[in-house]
Amino acid sequence: RTFEPDAEVHARGALVFSRTCIACHGVDGKGLALAFPPLDGSSWLTGNPQRPMDIVMGGLIGKITVGSQEFNAVMPPLGPSLTDQEIADVLTYVRQRWSNDAAAVTAEQVAKRREATKERTGLWTAEELGK
């Protein structure tokens, strides 16, 4: 493992995940075939942290491909209901959970990205996110 998980951050992130993400992405991060994409092993999540920040804060609509599977669903924007710290904690948790091994996300990074995208309206698309 390259990135050692912080137990306190993971505990907080697990709480956010359990009330916000688990219904669609599953307790095991495998998602639901043809409906909701997996988080485990997803380059959407473990690559540049800006992409998952944008998705969590602003939502996602349209076709995406994760691994070899295509999905076409809507993820609602969670930015209005989650704090910067909650977004950082949950993203750190899922970026370091299961087989994932990616850098932590900080509340400062989330705040900076939230500020940079505050004028945005509408959900993100795969094309806009460079995927």
Side-chain angles (χ1 to χ4, degrees), residues 3 8 10 21 40-41 45 47 57 67 72-73 78 91-92 96 98-100 106 108 110 113 119 125 127 130:
F3 300 96
E8 286 183 32
H10 275 236
C21 317
D40 185 17
L45 178 63
M57 285 191 282
N72 190 0
L78 301 172
L91 287 178
T92 296
Q96 297 177 344
W98 311 295
S99 69
N100 296 336
T106 67
E108 292 76 21
V110 174
R113 188 63 188 154
E119 302 298 323
T125 66
E127 292 77 26

Side-chain angles (χ1 to χ4, degrees), residues 24-67:
C24 297
H25 295 290
V27 68
D28 58 2
K30 301 279 188 221
L32 182 61
L34 305 177
F36 305 110
L39 300 178
D40 185 17
S42 172
S43 64
W44 281 81
L45 178 63
T46 59
N48 183 334
Q50 180 176 306
R51 185 178 295 127
M53 281 188 271
D54 286 346
I55 293 170
V56 169
M57 285 191 282
L60 180 66
I61 192 167
K63 291 183 181 176
I64 66 167
T65 302
V66 179

Side-chain angles (χ1 to χ4, degrees), residues 2-3 20 23 29-30 32 46 82 84 109-110 114-115 120:
T2 303
F3 300 96
T20 311
K30 301 279 188 221
L32 182 61
T46 59
L82 295 176
D84 295 344
Q109 286 174 295
V110 174
R114 192 188 294 266
E115 178 64 25
R120 179 177 175 79

Side-chain angles (χ1 to χ4, degrees), residues 64-93:
I64 66 167
T65 302
V66 179
S68 61
Q69 293 185 321
E70 188 174 276
F71 298 86
N72 190 0
V74 175
M75 178 169 161
L78 301 172
S81 62
L82 295 176
T83 67
D84 295 344
Q85 189 64 61
E86 287 172 321
I87 293 169
D89 290 344
V90 76
L91 287 178
T92 296
Y93 173 74

